[in-house]
Amino acid sequence: MTIASVNWLAVILIFIAPLVLSGGLIIIAFRSHRKWACWIAATGGAIFLVVFLVVIAGSAPYFWALHLESKWFPANPKTKVELESYLSLYSKREIQPSESGWGSNHHLQAGERMTQYLLLWSAPLDVVYTSDDRVVAVYTSYE
């Protein structure tokens, strides 16, 4: 994902508008002299702030996964060590293909295993390795 391919209108509507709206309403609440206006503005500001935080918490792993993919995909890593050098902020575990989002139809050959990386501890990246840690397939299950 490049800067040119970012839909800036979506970024503004999803991230910036709720933050600006919540901040504006909270400022209005502090400057208001009428109790009812203060209460409405503060409540509205708090609601927009909570919506903003929920959107950030829910979308951050996906955007982090896209960022990491923009690094490892062009490099086309061939081994576990190479792939993991492009990953950060993740946990990992061994899974069966049936547990994979996009790799559920993969049939493991003798000596192969599937590792699931949870990027930002939430967005799954499923990788099939051989017994000598060569990359067989990569499934971007976070998409």
Side-chain angles (χ1 to χ4, degrees):
M1 174 181 270
T2 64
I3 293 293
S5 69
V6 173
N7 183 346
W8 289 106
L9 180 61
V11 169
I12 289 169
L13 289 176
I14 294 172
F15 297 105
I16 298 172
L19 185 60
V20 169
L21 218 49
S22 66
L25 286 171
I26 291 171
I27 289 171
I28 289 170
F30 282 116
R31 293 187 177 182
S32 178
H33 298 295
R34 297 186 179 175
K35 218 171 207 175
W36 63 269
C38 177
W39 187 85
I40 290 172
T43 302
I47 289 170
F48 276 109
L49 187 59
V50 168
V51 167
F52 172 75
L53 294 174
V54 167
V55 168
I56 290 295
S59 62
Y62 174 72
F63 286 111
W64 183 248
L66 287 179
H67 167 71
L68 294 178
E69 183 180 2
S70 73
K71 305 293 184 202
W72 65 259
F73 185 78
N76 193 22
K78 303 284 187 222
T79 65
K80 180 179 179 180
V81 171
E82 288 176 17
L83 177 63
E84 287 184 353
S85 72
Y86 293 99
L87 303 179
S88 59
L89 299 176
Y90 67 89
S91 61
K92 67 180 178 178
R93 65 187 180 111
E94 300 297 317
I95 63 168
Q96 292 300 312
S98 61
E99 299 174 67
S100 173
W102 282 25
S104 59
N105 293 328
H106 186 91
H107 298 289
L108 294 176
Q109 303 300 318
E112 289 182 348
R113 69 188 184 287
M114 185 177 276
T115 301
Q116 183 175 68
Y117 296 91
L118 293 176
L119 307 175
L120 210 56
W121 299 278
S122 179
L125 175 69
D126 306 327
V127 183
V128 178
Y129 294 111
T130 61
S131 58
D132 62 345
D133 289 339
R134 295 257 175 230
V135 175
V136 174
V138 178
Y139 298 100
T140 54
S141 295
Y142 52 83
E143 293 185 334

